[in-house]
Amino acid sequence: MNFVGKSIISINDMNKEELDYILVKSKEVKEGKWKNTLSGKIIATLFFEPSTRTRLSFETAILKQNGQIIGFASSDVSSTKKGESLSDSIKNISRYVDAIVMRHPVEGAARRAAEVSNKPIINGGDGANQHPTQTLLDLFTINEVKGHLNNLKIGLMGDLKFGRTIHSLLMALSFYNCEIHFISPELLRVPDYYYDFLKKKNVNFYIHEDFREISKDLDILYCTRIQKERFSDPIEYLKVAGSYKISKEDLKYLGESTYLMHPLPRVDEISPEVDNDRRAIYFDQAENGVYVREALLGLVLGTIK
Ligand code: CP
């Protein structure tokens, strides 16, 4: 399996063997097998859109493996503000560093960056499109609690229209013969493109509006925030804001082994009183993001094999 020099832009660019290999290496990182894998490497973290977990877990991963970081957490402090194009910024920064992690509000921005970069680009989220490293840590976490990824029943709930974590995750689940249950208000359903994708892959999927109908049978209930920033019309947002919320009371609708996941940040989809339930594993997900990102950087830079 050779990831050296490869950009990680979309789960759709990867095959099952590659995903499985990254998960194996991530486990080895978590077990402490790999040390100093980024020593002598400089990695740029370019965040043109806000982030807490993705940026800081990548930066933690780099520091843990003794790499060095340059970058910015907001386009306001880069020459984007003066009108520099993304292509020019990437052409320039790729001459400084060994790899670039970037997040951008425009769909396709990471792919465009990869076309002009002579160093690997890792997509930390491009608009409502893809968030492949989130999916890797989601798969890693599911595998930890379930012991495997095959034939699971996965509920994907919330903003399925704009949620890039959903779009990446459903593509990955198609490799593992999972049954997908989409749960959202009608306005927030997955774009048709993804239904067509799943049909082509012969993935069984079902559409629901209320998680209470189905949650007892699920292995995973994966919740997402309604992406207020992606609505062009605030009235449309108000129609769906707060349309679902999991409180401590609602935990009775989950099965004993239905794990509750969320990529975070949350707004009000899951009440904080749920956090102490043993099935709430969203902070484990966030922690696992560090191990997975350590592994991924080592793989694309050829220091983890
Ligand atoms: N899960 C995730 O992408 O979180 P951030 O937006 O905080 O990076």
Side-chain angles (χ1 to χ4, degrees), residues 151-271:
N151 307 312
L152 296 172
K153 289 188 182 180
I154 312 276
L156 301 177
M157 180 163 99
D159 188 347
L160 311 181
K161 181 177 181 183
F162 296 116
R164 58 192 171 204
T165 64
I166 295 289
H167 303 157
S168 288
L169 183 55
L170 70 84
M171 285 179 161
L173 294 174
S174 72
F175 289 125
Y176 299 98
N177 198 33
C178 290
E179 185 176 287
I180 299 180
H181 293 265
F182 293 115
I183 307 157
S184 77
E186 195 174 348
L187 269 176
L188 294 179
R189 284 190 184 158
V190 173
D192 286 344
Y193 165 78
Y194 294 103
Y195 291 140
D196 295 341
F197 173 92
L198 294 174
K199 282 177 194 160
K200 271 191 206 139
K201 300 261 178 176
N202 292 319
V203 176
N204 288 326
F205 65 87
Y206 304 87
I207 296 169
H208 312 265
E209 292 208 6
D210 188 342
F211 69 94
R212 295 171 192 87
E213 288 170 18
I214 180 68
S215 294
K216 268 219 175 343
D217 293 334
L218 296 175
D219 292 293
I220 301 289
L221 178 58
Y222 188 102
C223 304
T224 57
R225 174 180 69 93
I226 297 181
Q227 312 268 303
K228 184 179 181 183
E229 67 277 22
R230 308 218 189 276
F231 282 76
S232 49
D233 180 352
I235 301 203
E236 290 290 290
Y237 170 71
L238 288 174
K239 281 185 192 162
V240 289
S243 52
Y244 59 94
K245 189 167 179 170
I246 297 183
S247 66
K248 202 169 175 184
E249 271 295 289
D250 292 319
L251 289 173
K252 63 176 180 282
Y253 297 108
L254 270 58
E256 278 305 301
S257 55
T258 306
Y259 289 90
L260 190 56
M261 298 178 71
H262 194 305
L264 304 175
R266 68 175 152 191
V267 180
D268 57 4
E269 321 68 73
I270 301 178
S271 166

Side-chain angles (χ1 to χ4, degrees), residues 50-54 103 131 134 263-265:
S51 168
T52 295
R53 276 144 295 276
T54 308
R103 169 173 288 184
H131 195 348
Q134 177 70 43
L264 304 175

Side-chain angles (χ1 to χ4, degrees), residues 45-96:
T45 57
L46 312 181
F47 279 69
F48 297 88
E49 195 183 64
S51 168
T52 295
R53 276 144 295 276
T54 308
R55 184 173 68 84
L56 295 180
S57 63
F58 263 113
E59 295 193 352
T60 304
I62 295 162
L63 294 173
K64 277 180 73 191
Q65 293 294 339
N66 285 329
Q68 292 180 285
I69 303 157
I70 63 164
F72 47 80
S74 158
S75 58
D76 283 353
V77 295
S78 77
S79 284
T80 306
K81 188 88 176 161
K82 295 184 270 184
E84 183 172 55
S85 70
L86 175 66
S87 296
D88 279 1
S89 298
I90 297 294
K91 279 179 194 168
N92 197 141
I93 295 164
S94 65
R95 289 173 178 236
Y96 297 160

Side-chain angles (χ1 to χ4, degrees), residues 92-152:
N92 197 141
I93 295 164
S94 65
R95 289 173 178 236
Y96 297 160
V97 299
D98 297 289
I100 295 173
V101 178
M102 64 172 277
R103 169 173 288 184
H104 200 283
V106 175
E107 294 186 23
R111 179 126 9 237
R112 174 70 191 134
E115 282 164 7
V116 299
S117 175
N118 58 2
K119 302 288 167 46
I121 299 284
I122 299 183
N123 183 6
D126 61 323
N129 186 29
Q130 283 277 308
H131 195 348
T133 67
Q134 177 70 43
T135 291
L136 292 169
L137 74 89
D138 292 340
L139 295 178
F140 184 85
T141 307
I142 296 170
N143 193 40
E144 270 193 338
V145 293
K146 291 289 172 185
H148 65 92
L149 294 168
N150 299 311
N151 307 312
L152 296 172

